Amino acid sequence: MKIFNHIKDRHFPEGYPEWIQIAIDDVVSEFLHKVSETFDLSTINNIFDIGSLNGIESVKFTEKLNNVSVYTFEPNKESYNNVLISTEDNDNILVSKLAVSDFNGKSDFFITYENMGGSSLLEPMLLNKTGYQNEKTEVDVVKLSDWCPQNNIDSIDLMWMDTQGSELNIFKGMGDLLYTVKGIYVESSNIPYYHGAANKNDVIQYLSEYGLQLVHESYHDAYEGDFTFIRK
């Protein structure tokens, strides 16, 4: 098992502690367990890790599944560099410095340094939750209904997403590709805290229309939680 003590960011300037690494491993394992209740994990070929932050989850998937390909997206320049460090020498992971949404082009990206995971395509609205916006930069944005065919990908088996309010836009940008997805682990908001952010109820309704059923939810606080969907 790969150790990530050498990955450093503003939250962990001395490197990621062991307890964080264990927690990440546990959450990835639990998600795969829920997927395995419906699908044979040997059929999982492509995983999309969108809003990766540090790349650790991407590596965990390659440790737990044989011959899987992980496509990792991280537009934040500082986080992107950490993803490259985490995933170096792993031929099963393709890292792209791209944001994902429902359009192709360029967009403002709002960086919140005191909460690097709070950086988003969407402008922060509740600063007590996101932290102050310290920088606005421009990033490249893709929608998966175009990006996947361009990269010879015709199906996505699993999605792991932490995109700070953009999750519904990403799903809308997938088109019929969303019908190929077996399982999704996604952070979403109970009380949106970005301008134009998705609400979890809208996400649940939208995914249900594509045959993806909510099977588990857990909340970080009053604002947000993590939601697992499995195709039924």
Side-chain angles (χ1 to χ4, degrees):
M1 184 173 68
K2 188 170 183 177
I3 304 300
F4 297 92
N5 297 335
H6 62 302
I7 305 300
K8 302 177 181 180
D9 60 22
R10 294 171 189 273
H11 299 296
F12 301 107
E14 302 302 319
Y16 271 63
E18 183 178 358
W19 68 267
I20 284 284
Q21 300 179 49
I22 292 172
I24 293 173
D25 189 88
D26 287 347
V27 175
V28 171
S29 293
E30 179 61 25
F31 173 55
L32 291 177
H33 174 70
K34 291 188 181 303
V35 173
S36 73
E37 293 176 342
T38 304
F39 297 99
D40 183 343
L41 292 181
S42 67
T43 66
I44 304 302
N45 299 307
N46 296 328
I47 300 176
F48 277 47
D49 179 3
I50 306 177
S52 182
L53 183 62
N54 51 44
I56 297 177
E57 287 93 344
S58 291
V59 175
K60 293 296 181 182
F61 281 120
T62 65
E63 290 178 346
K64 298 177 186 300
L65 298 173
N66 294 326
N67 303 316
V68 71
S69 295
V70 181
Y71 299 88
T72 304
F73 297 81
E74 178 50 63
N76 188 329
K77 58 185 177 182
E78 186 172 336
S79 299
Y80 172 77
N81 289 334
N82 268 345
V83 174
L84 291 181
I85 295 170
S86 294
T87 62
E88 62 185 350
D89 302 322
N90 191 321
D91 294 336
N92 293 84
I93 301 174
L94 174 69
V95 182
S96 297
K97 191 180 179 183
L98 296 169
V100 183
S101 190
D102 57 354
F103 66 95
N104 298 306
K106 295 184 179 292
S107 177
D108 289 336
F109 188 80
F110 301 90
I111 298 176
T112 52
Y113 282 129
E114 64 187 75
N115 175 19
M116 290 302 291
S119 301
S120 177
L121 281 175
L122 306 178
E123 185 175 4
M125 183 169 62
L126 300 177
L127 299 184
N128 63 313
K129 174 62 178 172
T130 65
Y132 285 96
Q133 175 201 324
N134 301 88
E135 181 183 348
K136 182 171 71 173
T137 188
E138 187 177 70
V139 298
D140 292 314
V141 185
V142 296
K143 63 176 180 178
L144 295 180
S145 61
D146 289 330
W147 188 90
C148 287
Q150 291 166 4
N151 289 273
N152 300 314
I153 298 168
D154 58 12
S155 65
I156 300 173
D157 293 304
L158 301 180
M159 301 182 74
W160 184 276
M161 297 170 55
D162 186 351
T163 58
Q164 303 306 115
S166 293
E167 57 274 8
L168 186 57
N169 292 338
I170 292 170
F171 296 137
K172 289 181 176 179
M174 293 177 66
D176 288 346
L177 193 63
L178 191 51
Y179 284 117
T180 70
V181 178
K182 297 179 173 74
I184 299 172
Y185 183 93
V186 58
E187 181 183 88
S188 195
S189 295
N190 188 44
I191 304 173
Y193 48 94
Y194 295 88
H195 292 284
N199 180 282
K200 61 156 186 166
N201 294 325
D202 295 327
V203 172
I204 293 168
Q205 176 61 36
Y206 190 82
L207 291 180
S208 72
E209 295 171 5
Y210 283 81
L212 289 153
Q213 178 182 334
L214 178 67
V215 297
H216 186 261
E217 56 190 300
S218 61
Y219 291 86
H220 309 164
D221 52 31
Y223 293 98
E224 66 185 1
D226 297 315
F227 302 84
T228 300
F229 297 84
I230 302 295
R231 180 167 299 284
K232 298 294 184 178

